[in-house]
Amino acid sequence: MPPLRASFRLFRSPRRLYATSAPSTARLNLPVDYKSTPLLHHTSSNLSSALNLPASTTSQPINLYQAINSALRTSLSNDDSVILFGEDVAFGGVFRCSMNLQTEFGSDRVFNTPLTEQGIAGFAVGAAAAGLKPVAEIQFADYVFPAFDQVVNEAAKFRYREGATGVNAGGMVMRMPCGAVGHGALYHTQSPEALFAHVPGVQVVIPRSPTQAKGLLLSAILESNNPVIFMEPKILYRAAVEHVPNESYTLPLNKAEVVKPGKDLTIVSYGQPLYLCSSAISAIEKEMPGVNIELIDLRTIYPWDRPTVLDSVKKTGRAVVVHESMINYGVGAEVAATVQDGAFLRLEAPVKRVAGWSTHTGLTYEKFIMPDVVRIYDAIKQTLNY
Amino acid sequence: MSLTLIGRLSLPLRSRRSLNPAAVPRAAVRWSSSISQRPGSDRVRFPGAVNSKFTTDMKFINPADSPDIPTFRVIDSDGVPVDKNRGKPKVSNEEILTWYKNMLTVSVMDVIMFEAQRQGRLSFYMVSAGEEGISVGTAAALTPDDVVFAQYRETGVYQQRGFTLKDFMSQLFANRNDSGKGRNMPVHYGSNYPRNHTISSPLATQIPHASGAAYGLKLQSLQNPNIPSRIVACYFGEGAASEGDFHAGLNIAATRGCPVVFVCRNNGYAISTPTLEQYRGDGIASRGVGYGIDTIRVDGNDIFAVHEAMQEARRIALTDGGKPVLIEAMSYRVSHHSTSDDSFAYRARVEVEDWKRRDNPIIRLRKYLENEGLWNEDVERDTRDQMRKAVLTEFGAAEREKKPPIREAFNGTYDELTEEAQAQMKELKRILEAYPGEYDLRPFEEGIKGL
């Protein structure tokens, strides 16, 4: 950051880099400072107690792609039936998530596939049905749609239709980078979690941090007996750095996490927007002393932890749901409808949804389309003052 | 801070050009295509085609210039071996008789079940008339440890691999003995061992599954030498071969060296669509060559040819660490596509009658057996009578059997019932109790308690 600012001052150039900085007048829409956000473990001090790990646990600060890499390495070491494949995973992956894994575990277990998403997904279903634990990578969530039939009609329904034969495709995990990154435009930006959340039979998981990424991915690969769609917010691959335990640990795939307790309003979100929610909450709480906002990270989009969210809203009486993907028929619709149905008498304001507008992510318009701190801040204010 | 980080997170487009070569780790890379061009060489060394000769003759390859891939056959339509020098098929008479009876069982069951559907006693049915030889002949070359992925017109595979009439009928009537727990349409059979994966309706999806499963079997044998080498057999029609999953499945099987035998039943029609509107190449077999896959076309009405080709395909599939094989078995769909189809809306009755008379895998094998003195009219009549009776007995029993408990509508979606599913089951139970006259729960095991 400092050198970038310096160069602007030096040349007084009207030129902006493609990832433009906030105007100097901005008070809310400031870049997320991942180095100070309360959502990341900046030290190792309380890590072992937070994750129920022994006190002897060691950790090191790593970013999200390194945490994914660590989870993949642990999985491949712990279980011979784990295999890793997709487009360009052999040399380390275009986001470096599979770095050195082919060298360590051999080309029989870590390999490139031809460029075919329906083939990658179908191959994973078959390998899982034969008893392996395939971890398939779709290079971008935007390119998962050719595999939609294989996920919806095959992976999700495999156990159900096999019935008493007991065969299933529960060993498979499909990883895919998702979400906005500042300049991904139409096909390097999407978050199709709501489409998969309409599909009984698959679990949809989105981590918000390196610690979560490792724990949730290890659960998905080694412990889950269901097909898992594991979506990785790619903007966090390098940006989010925190202390992550070196040893193997898992996080449950059916539990939301109350990231910050509060009493006046509940924000439900997942993935990268949680950092924006956290900034908005700080601004509101600074401005309105006594106001206390609860922040919930869904972690698992489907099947989701309805009790945790309902308990929270019953306590606070107000709810805002935040996600990047489009508002129409998005995750927010399901959360809002469930809250309305399950906490109607406790609600003191309509459930507000802050999400991407119902359009495509045109390259130059991203910052107007994605939910930002201003829109979350405004939604909180409106809901509190209703 | 974040700004610079975002700036550094480059978005590789799927053309690999945007990758920074400096970041490529050295150790992990296998340079398979780095052989440099020799000066004066008569052939190209492009990485995408390493053994292509130069030519100054500017000539497009016209598929019409190549002869069609020949069709392998062992006996002719009179059941007589075509090549006298080959000797008799190396199969015991006992086994040949088993094949014949298995084809006949499928054929007898087909007629009864088709009629039962017409009477409204069954929701749906698909016969495999004319294709019994392909199913039984290929399945006879498999071991019980081999794994099958089928499309839906392979009843003979299930019959040959030990499915009983009770198994068939339980599935068709979706009763409590159905391995699919009453969840699937009729003819979507499945079994754990020998493993015949439960059939799913979406066409061709099983083709990449077969590649993945074959890779799984290969890896398991590599990791544990005590596990015997196994193959996957994958069946599909020539219509399904137009799906993208056919391309994906064969291509991955070839690049990953998967021990899988793809069996294409080319019966001339995909519902109403004749092959001329399905493809313009030389059938499906010509495509196998394009994927670098060992390929053969066989006469699907000749069970000896089918069986011999499958035996050899199985052997090839397990050589060189594993590789795929493609068999295109030619036949004619004598029947309607399904009970929901009247095929005379798109093809002449006389064409079908002609095929029925001219050639058929069952009659062809019967002629062979009669020539060998192993079968005759009396045995045929008695066998058919017995089979009819056996089918009708199981039919009646399966029809009367209870359906699975209603909880099976929710079970199996995940490995465990979700909180949401439990809430929905409770709600359904409340509805069933509040409106008892609106639902007939008697056919379901345990009635309301089954929820």
Side-chain angles (χ1 to χ4, degrees):
Chain A
M1 192 71 177
L4 197 67
R5 277 245 177 94
S7 71
F8 276 121
R9 284 204 201 107
L10 205 62
F11 299 110
R12 294 188 178 277
S13 162
R15 167 179 72 95
R16 287 264 189 273
L17 294 182
Y18 57 86
T20 50
S21 56
S24 57
T25 51
R27 183 175 67 85
L28 295 166
N29 271 344
L30 300 167
V32 176
D33 186 356
Y34 291 100
K35 277 203 162 156
S36 65
T37 174
L39 299 194
L40 294 171
H41 298 286
H42 301 292
T43 64
S44 60
S45 55
N46 66 343
L47 199 54
S48 52
S49 60
L51 298 170
N52 289 325
L53 292 169
S56 59
T57 303
T58 60
S59 67
Q60 58 177 328
I62 55 174
N63 64 27
L64 192 108
Y65 87 67
Q66 290 163 330
I68 298 284
N69 184 264
S70 166
L72 295 172
R73 176 175 289 104
T74 303
S75 306
L76 287 156
S77 311
N78 287 11
D79 192 335
D80 279 348
S81 61
V82 175
I83 56 171
L84 181 67
F85 55 88
E87 295 156 14
D88 307 298
V89 304
F91 86 106
V94 296
F95 287 113
R96 304 291 177 265
C97 291
S98 50
M99 284 282 274
N100 300 321
L101 297 178
Q102 190 179 61
T103 321
E104 281 176 52
F105 299 99
S107 57
D108 285 333
R109 295 182 63 200
V110 180
F111 52 87
N112 289 338
T113 63
L115 219 158
T116 165
E117 283 76 16
Q118 65 191 100
I120 291 167
F123 191 89
V125 171
L132 295 192
K133 290 181 177 165
V135 182
E137 179 179 300
I138 302 293
Q139 204 160 73
F140 286 85
D142 310 65
Y143 304 125
V144 76
F145 304 113
F148 211 54
D149 183 43
Q150 284 289 352
V151 173
V152 177
N153 278 327
E154 298 299 321
K157 294 175 175 62
F158 212 98
R159 179 197 309 275
Y160 190 81
R161 71 169 182 250
E162 286 272 356
T165 73
V167 182
N168 63 78
M172 71 179 274
V173 175
M174 258 171 84
R175 293 177 43 241
M176 60 194 82
C178 71
V181 68
H183 52 278
L186 280 68
Y187 306 110
H188 297 81
T189 298
Q190 298 177 64
S191 296
E193 66 275 6
L195 296 170
F196 292 115
H198 193 62
V199 182
V202 294
Q203 290 177 307
V204 186
V205 179
I206 305 184
R208 73 158 190 276
S209 68
T211 307
Q212 272 199 7
K214 183 171 173 181
L216 292 170
L217 186 55
L218 280 167
S219 278
I221 299 171
L222 297 177
E223 290 179 356
S224 165
N225 292 318
N226 299 304
V228 179
I229 309 288
F230 196 85
M231 296 172 59
E232 300 159 8
K234 58 183 167 291
I235 196 168
L236 302 178
Y237 272 143
R238 289 165 190 269
V241 179
E242 70 173 338
H243 271 269
V244 176
N246 293 322
E247 68 184 74
S248 180
Y249 64 96
T250 57
L251 292 170
L253 297 188
N254 58 355
K255 279 268 168 283
E257 183 189 356
V258 179
V259 179
K260 174 188 172 304
K263 58 175 178 43
D264 300 309
L265 184 146
T266 302
I267 300 189
V268 181
S269 188
Y270 51 91
Q272 198 275 342
L274 284 161
Y275 296 93
L276 307 176
C277 294
S278 181
S279 301
I281 290 170
S282 301
I284 291 273
E285 288 183 348
K286 205 178 286 173
E287 235 172 78
M288 304 170 74
V291 165
N292 214 325
I293 291 170
E294 184 147 306
L295 180 59
I296 295 182
D297 178 358
L298 272 187
R299 300 203 294 202
T300 301
I301 309 306
Y302 195 78
W304 62 293
D305 184 359
R306 305 191 307 172
T308 296
V309 171
L310 282 174
D311 286 351
S312 171
V313 182
K314 281 177 191 167
K315 180 180 70 180
T316 62
R318 291 178 161 87
V320 174
V321 195
V322 183
H323 54 75
E324 275 188 11
S325 61
M326 290 68 69
I327 195 162
N328 48 304
Y329 290 90
V331 172
E334 175 68 18
V335 173
T338 302
V339 166
Q340 176 271 133
D341 188 42
F344 184 68
L345 292 176
R346 305 293 183 89
L347 277 181
E348 291 173 45
V351 180
K352 200 107 193 130
R353 290 179 287 162
V354 182
W357 303 123
S358 305
T359 179
H360 311 293
T361 319
L363 180 72
T364 198
Y365 313 110
E366 187 182 300
K367 58 183 168 298
F368 302 111
I369 293 169
M370 292 295 154
D372 57 8
V373 181
V374 169
R375 283 177 56 201
I376 299 166
Y377 171 91
D378 182 70
I380 296 172
K381 265 208 148 155
Q382 283 193 44
T383 308
L384 284 174
N385 295 331
Y386 187 81
Chain B
M1 191 67 211
S2 63
L3 261 184
T4 42
L5 287 167
I6 295 168
R8 249 195 278 151
L9 183 61
S10 67
L11 284 180
L13 290 169
R14 299 208 305 172
S15 74
R16 287 150 219 208
R17 260 172 245 134
S18 59
L19 289 176
N20 172 12
V24 175
R26 267 173 223 140
V29 181
R30 252 183 322 140
W31 301 113
S32 58
S33 52
S34 62
I35 316 146
S36 58
Q37 185 88 30
R38 286 220 186 101
S41 171
D42 66 338
R43 51 198 76 213
V44 182
R45 278 280 167 84
F46 289 120
V50 293
N51 202 25
S52 167
K53 269 194 174 176
F54 290 121
T55 176
T56 53
D57 186 11
M58 201 287 291
K59 190 171 177 294
F60 287 80
I61 296 164
N62 183 341
D65 295 340
S66 322
D68 280 6
I69 294 171
T71 302
F72 170 61
R73 68 159 36 172
V74 173
I75 56 171
D76 64 19
S77 49
D78 293 321
V80 178
V82 182
D83 181 356
K84 307 293 177 216
N85 299 325
R86 287 182 114 247
K88 279 191 182 173
K90 290 169 194 64
V91 188
S92 72
N93 289 340
E94 200 180 29
E95 193 176 354
I96 300 172
L97 282 167
T98 307
W99 295 352
Y100 183 71
K101 285 177 194 161
N102 282 341
M103 287 201 285
L104 212 55
T105 303
V106 171
S107 161
V108 167
M109 181 169 73
D110 273 355
V111 173
I112 294 172
M113 299 321 289
F114 192 86
E115 202 48 47
Q117 196 283 331
R118 286 289 189 252
Q119 293 169 13
R121 295 169 76 179
L122 194 65
S123 60
F124 178 79
Y125 195 72
M126 298 180 104
V127 307
S128 44
E131 296 171 62
E132 301 93 337
I134 300 172
S135 295
V136 171
T138 51
L142 300 175
T143 74
D145 288 331
D146 291 334
V147 172
V148 163
F149 285 88
Q151 179 167 301
Y152 50 58
R153 210 183 296 285
E154 294 89 0
T155 306
V157 171
Y158 290 80
Q159 172 70 23
Q160 179 69 27
R161 281 167 70 85
F163 237 55
T164 65
L165 286 175
K166 184 181 174 183
D167 294 332
F168 284 122
M169 293 300 150
S170 300
Q171 200 286 322
L172 292 169
F173 285 103
N175 68 29
R176 69 193 187 108
N177 299 319
D178 168 22
S179 68
K181 300 202 175 190
R183 293 167 184 157
N184 306 305
M185 281 177 78
V187 194
H188 292 49
Y189 308 117
S191 62
N192 186 312
Y193 188 84
R195 181 157 294 177
N196 301 293
H197 279 289
T198 303
I199 286 164
S200 75
S201 308
L203 287 181
T205 48
Q206 77 278 15
I207 301 174
H209 297 176
S211 306
Y215 191 76
L217 303 187
K218 165 176 155 167
L219 196 66
Q220 284 159 356
S221 293
L222 271 175
Q223 291 175 342
N224 180 355
N226 295 325
I227 297 176
S229 296
R230 297 161 289 165
I231 68 152
V232 170
C234 177
Y235 296 82
F236 51 88
E238 90 285 350
S242 296
E243 293 283 0
D245 275 332
F246 167 87
H247 165 66
L250 269 71
N251 199 30
I252 290 199
T255 57
R256 293 311 306 167
C258 303
V260 48
V261 178
F262 298 108
V263 181
C264 176
R265 297 176 290 96
N266 190 336
N267 64 17
Y269 287 92
I271 305 188
S272 75
T273 306
T275 50
L276 268 180
E277 291 165 24
Q278 199 65 247
Y279 54 73
R280 280 300 162 106
D282 179 16
I284 308 304
S286 64
R287 300 182 201 166
V289 181
Y291 291 112
I293 292 177
D294 291 27
T295 300
I296 192 169
R297 173 175 285 156
V298 300
D299 181 346
N301 287 347
D302 176 352
I303 195 166
F304 293 112
V306 169
H307 179 255
E308 205 173 304
M310 189 68 178
Q311 265 189 326
E312 178 61 6
R314 191 181 184 283
R315 190 193 65 75
I316 296 170
L318 291 171
T319 56
D320 302 339
K323 56 181 179 174
V325 182
L326 172 63
I327 296 176
E328 182 183 28
M330 311 308 290
S331 72
Y332 183 84
R333 198 191 76 212
V334 180
S335 63
H336 300 301
H337 164 70
S338 74
T339 48
S340 311
D341 171 52
D342 173 13
S343 67
F344 300 130
Y346 50 80
R347 61 181 184 181
R349 196 179 284 267
V350 59
E351 175 189 323
V352 179
E353 291 305 321
D354 184 42
W355 267 99
K356 271 186 184 166
R357 221 179 20 254
R358 186 167 62 183
D359 199 14
N360 163 325
I362 297 181
I363 293 173
R364 217 198 274 196
L365 185 58
R366 183 177 162 187
K367 285 176 178 168
Y368 174 87
L369 291 171
E370 286 178 353
N371 295 344
E372 296 289 311
L374 295 167
W375 202 255
N376 60 46
E377 184 60 37
D378 291 343
V379 185
E380 172 83 9
R381 198 181 47 244
D382 291 350
T383 309
R384 279 182 178 272
D385 280 353
Q386 281 167 20
M387 283 175 177
R388 257 188 78 79
K389 273 180 200 146
V391 170
L392 289 171
T393 304
E394 292 298 344
F395 180 111
E399 201 177 24
R400 284 190 302 274
E401 187 59 85
K402 288 270 191 194
K403 306 290 181 201
I406 300 171
R407 62 174 169 271
E408 295 301 347
F410 293 88
N411 281 339
T413 306
Y414 292 92
D415 62 337
E416 288 170 356
L417 280 170
T418 62
E419 173 270 331
E420 183 188 13
Q422 288 172 31
Q424 291 178 0
M425 287 169 81
K426 216 169 135 190
E427 175 65 3
L428 175 58
K429 191 167 191 177
R430 185 188 68 76
I431 293 283
L432 296 179
E433 283 167 347
Y435 303 91
E438 305 292 329
Y439 303 92
D440 186 5
L441 305 182
R442 286 170 306 173
F444 295 90
E445 195 174 18
E446 300 175 52
I448 187 84
K449 291 199 187 80
L451 198 59

